[in-house]
Amino acid sequence: IILYFIMKSPSAYEVFFGPTNRMVTLKLLKYSLYMLLYPLSTFYFLFYVVFKQNKDYLGWCGIAAVFTANLVIASYVYMAWNEKDIDSNNKYNKRVNYNKITKDKVTV
């Protein structure tokens, strides 16, 4: 029985890069790359350019890199929160108007 469900389930490529999830996956990959590059470049820039390899300021470089990582996370959350819903005609995406709930039906 388990083998049947495994064979019927879609592949990871179909799930991540299917027509409904493609844009979400690409945004996630883009911000994952930002999470790698921005903190490392911030640390490198501060340590080698600004502080000229002074080991006394190594902690400040790390704090700046952590702050940069948090900025990337906050920008991803902001972008995801303010994203427009493309499939707004879908019946599952409509919000229920609780003022119009009757005994027999719910209007949306």
Side-chain angles (χ1 to χ4, degrees):
I1 294 175
I2 296 173
L3 185 59
Y4 173 76
F5 288 114
I6 292 173
M7 297 301 289
K8 288 291 186 180
S9 65
S11 68
Y13 182 81
E14 291 172 349
V15 171
F16 289 124
F17 293 103
T20 57
N21 293 336
R22 180 176 296 132
M23 293 307 295
V24 174
T25 303
L26 291 176
K27 287 177 191 175
L28 182 63
L29 290 174
K30 179 174 75 170
Y31 276 91
S32 297
L33 186 65
Y34 291 166
M35 281 290 295
L36 177 71
L37 293 178
Y38 286 169
L40 285 176
S41 60
T42 300
F43 186 88
Y44 177 84
F45 177 75
L46 287 176
F47 186 68
Y48 288 104
V49 176
V50 175
F51 297 124
K52 304 197 182 346
Q53 297 182 1
N54 188 352
K55 302 246 187 219
D56 295 334
Y57 295 106
L58 195 62
W60 289 107
C61 298
I63 290 171
V66 169
F67 182 73
T68 307
N70 285 320
L71 283 178
V72 172
I73 293 170
S75 66
Y76 179 77
V77 169
Y78 179 78
M79 182 270 316
W81 190 269
N82 292 325
E83 184 175 68
K84 299 286 184 202
D85 190 11
I86 296 171
D87 193 17
S88 62
N89 293 329
N90 190 347
K91 68 178 181 176
Y92 298 110
N93 291 335
K94 293 183 179 178
R95 296 182 183 202
V96 175
N97 186 354
Y98 289 103
N99 295 328
K100 294 184 178 180
I101 294 178
T102 61
K103 196 176 208 182
D104 299 328
K105 66 176 185 173
V106 175
T107 57
V108 289

